[in-house]
Structure formats: C-alpha cells, structure tokens
Amino acid sequence: MTTMTNASTPEPASGAPGPAERLAGMLSPEAIDGLLADAEAAGTGIDGPDGLLAKMTKAVLERALDVEITDHLGYEAGDPAGHGSGNSRNGHGRKTVHTTAGPVALQVPRDRNGSFAPQIVPKRKRRLGSVEDMILSLYARGMSTRDITAHLAEVYGTSVSAATISRVTDVVVDEIAAWQNRPVDPVYPILYIDAIRIKVRDAGVVANKAAHLVVGVDLEGRKQVLGVWIQQTEGAKFWSGVLTELRNRGLKDALFVCCDGLTGLPAAVNAVWPAAVVQTCVVHLIRASMRYVSWSDRKAMTAALRPIYTAPTVQAAELALATFKDEWSTRAAGAVQAWERAWEEFTPFLAFAPEIRKIIYTTNLIESINFQLRKVTKARGSFPTDEAAMKLIYLALRNISDQRGGEAGTGTHGWKSALNAFAMQFPDRLPL
C-alpha cells in the first residue's frame, strides 16, 4: 500500500536453508537433549536473563568476536606467525548488550593498537538489532514507552529507559523526511483524502489536531499513501499548500479527488488541478443519513436513498431526492439537509459509467487504513509534539504496508474495467 522501504536481512536463495535451519542441522537431537539435560541438572531455565538461551547467545557472540579479531590480526591466538606483526591481542573488555534473550555480559577481545572494530557487536552499541527491531515493532502497534519498558523488563529482564526507546524510534526521522518528500507519479486516476483526530500537547495544553492522509491509486490500480500532514485547523490555504507540495513532487494531474467534508479542499483542488473532479463519498452520505433515524427505520431509509445514488442522470437523482425529501423531511430533517449540503460534490458521480462509479463509490480504502491508525493512536492518549505523532503514524503505516502488499501496494478490485472507462471518459489525460 505504501511506498516505504525497510532495511531487512537478505532472504536466502529459493530452496536454500537459512541461518536458523543450518544451525538446527548442525545440532543433532542428541546434542540438544544434552544441553537441556545439563540446564535442568543445574537448575537453569530455558529463557530469561540467566537462562540457557542467554548463555548460548553469550557463547555464540563471544566465539564470533574471537573469529573477528583473528581475521583482523591475521593469525590465531598463540600462533608464532603473529610475532613481529606490529599488533597483538590485548586481553578483553567487559560489555553488556541487550538481546532478545535478555542482557548478556560479554568478554570483548581487544588489540594493542586499538584498531579492532567488531562488527557483530559494534563499539558503543548496547542493543543488538533484533532488540531495536522489537522496540520499533511494539511502538508501531501503539504501545507507550512505559509499556515497552515494562514488557522488555518482564519478558527479557532488559532495562530500557523511556529516553532510550525515544532514541531508538528516532532512527526513522530521516526516513520519514525522505518518504514525505519522495517523487510521486505524474498522474493518479484517484486520490482519496481523509483524516484522523489526534491529541497533541502544545504549550502545556492538549489540542485536537487532524492527521490528514492522501492515498493515490496509480495506473496499475495499486493504492499507496502519498503523505501525511498534521494540522489543527484546515481551510483553503492549508489544502493549497498540501496539494501544491504534491504537485511539486511530480503529481501533475488527478482525475478524481474523493473526500468528505474537508473545509476548503474543493477550492484548493480546483486551483491546483483545475480539471480534477471533487467527489464526495456516497457511503459516507448514507451513513450520515442513518444518524437521524432509529434503528427500526434504517432499512426503510436505505431503500429510499437507493434511487438517488443509482440514478442514471442528475435530473433523475433530483427527482429521487425530492421524493426522499417529501417522505423523510418531517421524520429525519437532518438526513435531508446532509444530502442537500453535499449535493454539488455528490452529483459528479452520476456522470460516469458504472465501472467508474464502483471504484469511487466509497472511501472505504482509506477508512480501513484510518481504522488501524486510530487503534494505535488511541492507545497513546496525547502526543508531546507533532513530530512524535508523525513518528508513530509513519511506523504504523509501515507496519500496515508490510502486511498489505509491501512496496508495490494493494490492488483494486475491478480495476481493468474502470481503467478502460477512464480512458474513454478522459482520453487525453492518462499517459500512454
């Protein structure tokens, strides 16, 4: 869904065993049984800071460090070939690193020249990558720094402060800047724009702000988050800035911009992309109408609204709206007013083929993303800064992206039929 890149360990070639499989192959069942029996005899648990896994982690890391310094010096410990080489081993230093098996106290080899720079446990690094990945994963799922600290202490016996967690999550700050300023496609047939509400502390006062998301559907039908903008108030000036930023990043045209009740957005769209059609979400209108009737009347109102949004022409829709108004203006005046207010943004929908209508009928795509974002932001209460809110939203989006299509984005059902309809309706606006 999103065009985000994540650093990851290279996958093994197809059919080739990975490190875990190779390790399992080197340890026979008898060897594993022996390790477990020794641990049980010594009263050592499997996991935890003093468990078997932590001890094995310590042994593997220290062995890897010994191999590294041998490669660095060019000779094995005690080998006469090292005489007169200009450098030699110089004992060990102590260092505790945090791993997923818990804190591990290591004996790190040193050389006399001080030129040895281990890679498996780099200098000044106190947490191995897996722990940092875990912190980022927990943070992306909405856990507070306090909850993450408690979780790591309870499960792994690792003491990690809130400041440390903040520093670990700060590694994505540059990634966010690159993502928010990356080039985008020159044309998107559809842009979806919506917002979620968040609370941000500003000068000691908690303010309600909106995180606005723009999702583009590209020519392949793939849906990608193009950016996030956090703002307390919205209006034509704000939206003009957002859309101009997208245009400067390469977005020269959009066929449809689907949104709901965002102040000043239609005017800004018309200024930046004059030929774009601003379309309100029909499903949003239907849901807004349902607020004004009791549960027992919802089925009847749904049936009464259907002739409006399935009308073949604007004139037919106006007749259907008049009928709806006559029937419901007394019982649900608010529903009638909702349709009247949104009429100018609703009627463009009626000018297009059924294939296009099915695609722009609803903003459920972006609502699905927002639903998942609300889950993680709600758990945090309020944020100290806009930057802290952006950090969590970005990490959550990256997590959603990994689950739903990765860098390529997710597809759109019925896209080929819609694309052909777009080509007929807008013959000069889609690139060849």
Side-chain angles (χ1 to χ4, degrees):
M1 180 184 309
T2 62
T3 53
M4 303 175 184
T5 57
N6 296 316
S8 59
T9 303
E11 294 292 334
S14 177
E21 288 79 5
R22 291 196 298 271
L23 179 61
M26 289 186 287
L27 290 175
S28 66
E30 292 77 13
I32 295 174
D33 289 343
L35 287 171
L36 293 173
D38 290 344
E40 183 177 0
T44 301
I46 301 299
D47 55 5
D50 297 316
L52 175 62
L53 293 178
K55 294 180 184 297
M56 290 181 66
T57 301
K58 173 182 170 68
V60 170
L61 290 176
E62 289 183 344
R63 176 58 185 153
L65 288 168
D66 286 341
V67 170
E68 280 196 83
I69 197 167
T70 296
D71 289 341
H72 175 71
L73 296 175
Y75 61 91
E76 295 284 349
D79 190 334
H83 296 162
S85 64
N87 198 6
S88 61
R89 289 169 172 79
N90 188 30
H92 294 78
R94 291 182 58 83
K95 179 177 183 176
T96 299
V97 295
H98 298 291
T99 74
T100 52
V104 175
L106 299 176
Q107 295 285 332
V108 180
R110 299 179 299 199
D111 64 332
R112 290 196 177 278
N113 293 349
S115 58
F116 176 50
Q119 300 300 308
I120 188 70
V121 184
K123 290 182 178 180
R124 295 177 293 279
K125 193 171 182 68
R126 295 290 177 177
R127 296 173 304 279
L128 298 191
S130 54
V131 173
E132 296 188 351
D133 292 342
M134 181 179 296
I135 290 173
L136 287 172
S137 177
L138 295 173
Y139 192 91
R141 285 165 172 75
M143 289 183 67
S144 67
T145 53
R146 181 180 300 175
D147 290 338
I148 294 173
T149 297
H151 174 79
L152 294 176
E154 180 180 345
V155 177
Y156 301 105
T158 300
S159 177
V160 179
S161 68
T164 297
I165 293 172
S166 180
R167 285 194 295 272
V168 169
T169 55
D170 277 346
V171 301
V172 300
V173 171
D174 291 341
E175 189 177 326
I176 292 172
W179 175 74
Q180 191 80 344
N181 291 281
R182 74 194 188 280
V184 296
D185 292 351
V187 176
Y188 286 90
I190 306 173
L191 293 181
Y192 294 103
I193 302 179
D194 204 359
I196 62 168
R197 296 292 170 181
I198 57 175
K199 297 182 182 295
V200 180
R201 294 192 294 276
D202 190 359
V205 178
V206 175
N208 289 313
K209 293 189 176 184
H212 298 90
L213 274 74
V214 178
V215 176
V217 181
D218 67 15
L219 292 172
E220 300 298 323
R222 296 174 304 208
K223 302 178 275 275
Q224 302 168 351
V225 179
L226 305 185
V228 179
W229 291 263
I230 296 175
Q231 182 77 8
Q232 186 167 5
T233 58
E234 62 191 44
K237 183 178 180 181
F238 165 72
W239 285 116
S240 178
V242 169
L243 301 185
T244 299
E245 181 180 320
L246 286 171
R247 186 177 63 185
N248 292 342
R249 287 166 55 192
L251 207 170
K252 304 304 180 186
D253 193 14
L255 305 187
F256 287 91
V257 179
C258 300
C259 57
D260 289 287
L262 298 173
T263 306
L265 180 56
V269 171
N270 292 333
V272 177
W273 301 305
V277 177
V278 179
Q279 176 63 55
T280 194
C281 170
V282 177
V283 171
H284 263 79
L285 271 176
I286 296 171
R287 289 176 183 166
S289 303
M290 296 302 144
R291 297 174 190 158
Y292 298 98
V293 293
S294 63
W295 185 265
S296 60
D297 286 334
R298 287 191 170 194
K299 187 174 181 179
M301 177 172 277
T302 301
L305 288 172
R306 183 173 178 80
I308 302 176
Y309 60 83
T310 60
T313 64
V314 175
Q315 291 76 15
E318 289 173 345
L319 291 173
L321 178 63
T323 301
F324 176 76
K325 186 174 180 180
D326 291 341
E327 182 181 354
W328 292 90
S329 58
T330 302
R331 287 187 290 168
V336 174
Q337 292 169 9
W339 279 85
E340 290 177 336
R341 284 193 303 268
W343 195 250
E344 292 300 319
E345 284 76 40
F346 161 72
T347 51
F349 173 83
L350 303 171
F352 301 102
E355 293 84 358
I356 295 178
R357 289 193 188 190
K358 289 178 182 178
I359 299 294
I360 64 173
Y361 173 74
T362 177
T363 58
N364 276 349
L365 155 73
I366 199 168
E367 288 181 44
S368 173
I369 299 173
N370 285 347
F371 173 76
Q372 295 178 72
L373 292 180
R374 287 189 187 98
K375 287 198 300 184
V376 299
T377 56
K378 184 178 179 181
R380 300 300 304 274
S382 61
F383 296 91
T385 62
D386 287 356
E387 291 73 20
M390 184 67 180
K391 188 165 62 174
L392 175 60
I393 290 170
Y394 173 78
L395 285 169
L397 284 172
R398 198 174 72 173
N399 191 46
I400 294 170
S401 171
D402 289 342
Q403 297 171 357
R404 301 179 60 184
E407 203 170 317
T410 54
T412 301
H413 182 67
W415 181 250
K416 293 302 181 182
S417 297
L419 187 61
N420 281 296
F422 283 132
M424 294 180 63
Q425 193 84 37
F426 309 98
D428 301 323
R429 292 174 60 191
L430 294 178
L432 297 176

